[in-house]
Amino acid sequence: MAKQVLFALSILLVFLFDSITTLAQPAAAPALPATPPIPVAKPPIPVAKPPTPVATPPTPVATPPTPSAKSPSGLPAKAPAQPVQVPVQKGPTDVVKILEKAKGYSVFIRLLKSTGLAGQLHGQLNNSNVGFTIFAPTDGAFSSLKAGTINSLSDLQKTQLIQYHILNTVVTLSNFQTLSNPVPTEAGDTSEGAFPLNVTTAGNQVNISTGLVNATLGGTIYSDNQLVMYRVDSVLLPLDIFVPKTKKAAAPAATLAKPNGTADAADSPSGADAAGVGTDDGAAKVDHSGAVSLSWRETLLSIGISLVAFIVTKAT
């Protein structure tokens, strides 16, 4: 029995020793593959970028209108003069043809012809170096006048009126500010009663004053180095034609006192004139006094002859 128990313990010890030895040995490393695996390139993970902001045009801000230049009268300035309406002519310069091409100046053309100024301008522009600046009123400017205004003028006044719209020099828009007032016209010089103009400028605006009319220069009708023509929407009326100055009445002639209380011929009931020429009664008075003087002379002459005869008789 004891041998059996001893044999079983031996077998148990052998089993336990083998188990402990097996557990104490290190585990074999796994065999590596012959070729290392090639790493597969993975695409980078896209990073979400913020969207690019789209440039939006700025919201237009309403800006207040720039205040325009004001004329001396306080009215807002008009737009600058427009470009030239009629191109430079080929051949002789003809004011009438230029105005006909521009259209709307029929009354001014008629007055230029009737006064003879159209022919004078044509001759001077084409036969001399003289230059002119013309302010041409439109037909609307003439129609705004009181009815009969132009027809009531004499031929001389019509000529002066048209000459009043002409300067005897070339004045471009940029040169108006260099003019000195008053500005002489073809109607006369700068002296009083000689039809001068007054010109003021405010930026590109040119204002013309006659003392009776204030006009603003409009578009340029024609321009070359010898002639410039501008449109005006008002007829330039000179004071000396449409508001003539009243002449002072002449002072009455001094009356001399008549001797012996004799009345002046103008006050006499006989109706003598202011120059002292008598009527028929006065003439009769003068003849009567002359006759009296003559009779006294004849009497004295007779007495003298009688005395001489008496003395001669006594002497003999």
Side-chain angles (χ1 to χ4, degrees), residues 34-290:
T35 306
I38 300 173
V40 180
K42 295 182 179 180
I45 300 174
V47 180
K49 295 182 179 180
T52 305
V54 180
T56 57
T59 305
V61 180
T63 56
T66 304
S68 56
K70 293 186 178 181
S71 62
S73 60
L75 299 176
K78 296 184 180 180
Q82 300 298 318
V84 177
Q85 295 182 11
V86 180
V88 176
Q89 286 187 321
K90 295 181 179 179
T93 303
D94 193 323
V95 173
V96 171
K97 289 183 178 179
I98 293 172
L99 291 173
E100 288 175 345
K101 288 183 179 179
K103 298 181 180 180
Y105 301 91
S106 58
V107 178
F108 191 57
I109 292 173
R110 177 170 56 83
L111 289 171
L112 280 170
K113 291 180 177 180
S114 64
T115 57
L117 293 175
Q120 294 179 20
L121 289 170
H122 187 275
Q124 294 186 22
L125 286 171
N126 296 286
N127 299 314
S128 69
N129 295 324
V130 179
F132 297 98
T133 298
I134 300 177
F135 306 119
T138 60
D139 290 340
F142 281 100
S143 63
S144 64
L145 295 175
K146 185 179 178 181
T149 299
I150 302 300
N151 292 333
S152 65
L153 301 178
S154 64
D155 292 341
L156 175 60
Q157 288 174 329
K158 289 178 181 178
T159 301
Q160 291 173 332
L161 175 64
I162 301 304
Q163 288 176 329
Y164 193 57
H165 290 73
I166 304 173
L167 307 183
N168 57 358
T169 184
V170 176
V171 184
T172 61
L173 284 175
S174 59
N175 289 338
F176 274 103
Q177 59 186 356
T178 64
L179 297 179
S180 298
N181 289 318
V183 178
T185 65
E186 280 292 295
D189 54 26
T190 59
S191 58
E192 186 179 357
F195 308 98
L197 289 171
N198 284 313
V199 176
T200 56
T201 59
N204 289 327
Q205 177 179 321
V206 179
N207 299 311
I208 304 172
S209 175
T210 71
L212 187 61
V213 174
N214 292 320
T216 300
L217 207 66
T220 304
I221 302 171
Y222 180 85
S223 178
D224 62 22
N225 57 1
Q226 198 176 4
L227 174 65
V228 180
M229 300 178 67
Y230 299 104
R231 185 187 75 246
V232 287
D233 295 328
S234 299
V235 180
L236 306 180
L237 304 178
L239 278 171
D240 295 280
I241 291 180
F242 294 93
V243 186
K245 295 180 180 179
T246 56
K247 295 182 178 180
K248 294 182 180 180
T255 303
L256 298 178
K258 300 294 183 180
N260 301 327
T262 304
D264 186 90
D267 300 329
S268 65
S270 60
D273 59 13
V277 179
T279 58
D280 293 341
D281 293 338
K285 291 180 181 180
V286 172
D287 293 341
H288 177 72
S289 61

